[in-house]
Amino acid sequence: MLDFIVDFYSHELQLAIEIDGDSHNQNYGYDSLRQNELEQYGVQFLRFDDKEVKRTFHNVLRTIENWILDKQQQSK
């Protein structure tokens, strides 16, 4: 059993969303290890910079929406 926390997670989509900012700069090694471990279980990651989320949230939402639509198309 893995014991990791991600910013946002959808079990149905097997999607983790991470918002990276200054606090992640010091934890790059841990973040990379955690992502590699979770990807071995089929979890996929989308990463966004915190400034991107604050300044162009609509682009972040569009990226997530497009990812979901692409995944749905692949599963048909």
Side-chain angles (χ1 to χ4, degrees), residues 2-59:
L2 299 177
D3 191 21
F4 295 120
I5 296 174
V6 295
D7 293 328
F8 300 96
Y9 178 70
S10 168
H11 178 73
E12 181 180 339
L13 296 170
Q14 289 288 97
L15 174 63
I17 298 174
E18 285 287 283
I19 312 300
D20 296 331
D22 292 337
S23 65
H24 286 262
N25 292 341
Q26 299 167 353
N27 296 321
Y28 179 78
Y30 171 77
D31 285 350
S32 181
L33 170 71
R34 176 186 57 169
Q35 182 169 338
N36 289 336
E37 291 279 332
L38 290 170
E39 286 175 339
Q40 291 180 22
Y41 286 86
V43 176
Q44 295 180 305
F45 277 72
L46 287 178
R47 290 189 167 275
F48 300 97
D49 184 84
D50 64 342
K51 290 178 180 81
E52 180 182 12
V53 172
K54 292 174 187 173
R55 294 179 182 154
T56 59
F57 189 66
H58 60 282
N59 287 339

